[in-house]
Amino acid sequence: MEEFERTRLLIGDENLEKLRNSTVVVVGCGGVGSYACEALARSGIGKLIIIDKDEINITNLNRQLMSSYANVGLRKVDEMAARIKGYAKCEVEGVACFFDESSTKLLDGADFVIDAIDTMTSKLILAKYCLAKNIPFVMSLGMANRLDPSQLVYTTLDKTSYDPVAKIMRNLCKKEKISTKIPVIFSREIPFKHMIIEKDGDNRKERFPLASMVFVPSSAGILAASVCVRRIIDK
């Protein structure tokens, strides 16, 4: 018996070999990206490139897979890579950088790219590059302020609703003359609005913080990995 016996029974030898010969890039190793990396490694992907500049902090413990009290302050990509190497024969390259124009070459040669980025400008840069280079990818949209993973949908950006991130990305794509028919994962659940009122001298400021639990980001990451695997084996 070997670790991918059950996988082999489901997809067959040929498709398992396709996964073993594939390189996937996951940009962002937070609530969505960490679970995407886990699912990909446990599915037999041969090489993972994980891009994220951040270190683990205490607020990550409620939803980010590789986080623990013991590794607060350490780099996310290093801790995710170490976790994967403990159970999978997967080549993992962790790149601790902010994804921008200078990082796009890291996507070259990828069989698939998963966008789990929070920054809108970086998401746009990734989408433009993948479209120009004909690299298959999927973009994860807003997963904060939601509780119901059953509301997640794999569709295209032009068919999204109730998602502030999707609205921003649609506007950016139209401004850059990019098709809004790009593949995305989004939630149909209307996000919760938890208002915080701050007093600054005589002024009162209202803000809606990004709140999150494990359910929706983790499910989005696993769905993104499933999209990736099905694309590679053409199912």
Side-chain angles (χ1 to χ4, degrees), residues 141 157 160 163-172:
L141 296 176
L157 182 60
T160 56
D163 188 332
V165 174
K167 183 177 181 181
I168 293 170
M169 290 310 303
R170 284 196 302 271
N171 290 335
L172 288 173

Side-chain angles (χ1 to χ4, degrees), residues 87-220:
Y87 63 78
K89 297 171 184 175
C90 175
E91 181 183 351
V92 187
E93 180 182 348
V95 183
C97 74
F98 181 79
F99 187 84
D100 55 19
E101 295 279 6
S102 67
S103 316
T104 53
K105 292 296 183 184
L106 293 168
L107 309 182
D108 289 347
D111 295 284
F112 199 91
V113 173
I114 292 177
D115 163 19
I117 313 171
D118 294 328
T119 307
M120 299 301 106
T121 52
S122 296
K123 295 179 90 66
L124 181 66
I125 289 168
L126 184 147
K128 286 174 67 176
Y129 194 83
C130 286
L131 290 169
K133 297 288 187 176
N134 200 28
I135 303 170
F137 74 104
V138 66
M139 177 185 291
S140 174
L141 296 176
M143 300 302 154
N145 298 321
R146 295 169 172 89
L147 284 171
D148 185 0
S150 71
Q151 297 297 311
L152 289 170
V153 178
Y154 170 52
T155 184
T156 50
L157 182 60
D158 60 307
K159 295 178 181 177
T160 56
S161 57
Y162 303 123
D163 188 332
V165 174
K167 183 177 181 181
I168 293 170
M169 290 310 303
R170 284 196 302 271
N171 290 335
L172 288 173
C173 287
K174 289 174 183 175
K175 191 176 293 184
E176 294 283 331
K177 295 183 171 56
I178 300 172
S179 171
T180 54
K181 292 190 178 296
I182 62 177
V184 299
I185 293 169
F186 94 105
S187 173
R188 293 177 296 195
E189 182 181 7
I190 298 174
F192 293 94
K193 290 185 177 180
H194 176 65
M195 184 187 300
I196 294 178
I197 300 176
E198 297 178 335
K199 189 170 183 180
D200 180 16
D202 293 328
N203 299 317
R204 289 163 64 86
K205 298 179 181 179
E206 297 179 353
R207 62 185 180 91
F208 298 93
L210 294 178
S212 190
M213 292 180 71
V214 69
F215 312 115
V216 177
S218 62
S219 300

Side-chain angles (χ1 to χ4, degrees), residues 17-24 44-48 111 232:
E17 195 62 24
K18 287 181 183 178
L19 297 179
R20 284 174 166 162
N21 291 326
S22 295
T23 298
V24 178
I45 293 296
K47 181 176 181 180
L48 273 176
D111 295 284
I232 290 171

Side-chain angles (χ1 to χ4, degrees), residues 3-4 7 19 24-50 63-67 76-92 114 116 214 217-226 228-229:
E3 62 266 45
F4 290 111
T7 307
L19 297 179
V24 178
V25 181
V26 179
V27 189
C29 192
V32 176
S34 62
Y35 280 87
C37 291
E38 180 89 354
L40 290 167
R42 291 188 184 274
S43 297
I45 293 296
K47 181 176 181 180
L48 273 176
I49 300 173
I50 311 170
R63 69 196 184 283
Q64 298 188 13
L65 187 62
M66 67 293 176
S67 62
K76 291 183 179 181
V77 293
D78 294 340
E79 294 305 291
M80 194 72 230
R83 176 184 171 87
I84 291 170
K85 289 173 183 176
Y87 63 78
K89 297 171 184 175
C90 175
E91 181 183 351
V92 187
I114 292 177
V214 69
S218 62
S219 300
I222 291 171
L223 178 53
S226 170
C228 168
V229 167

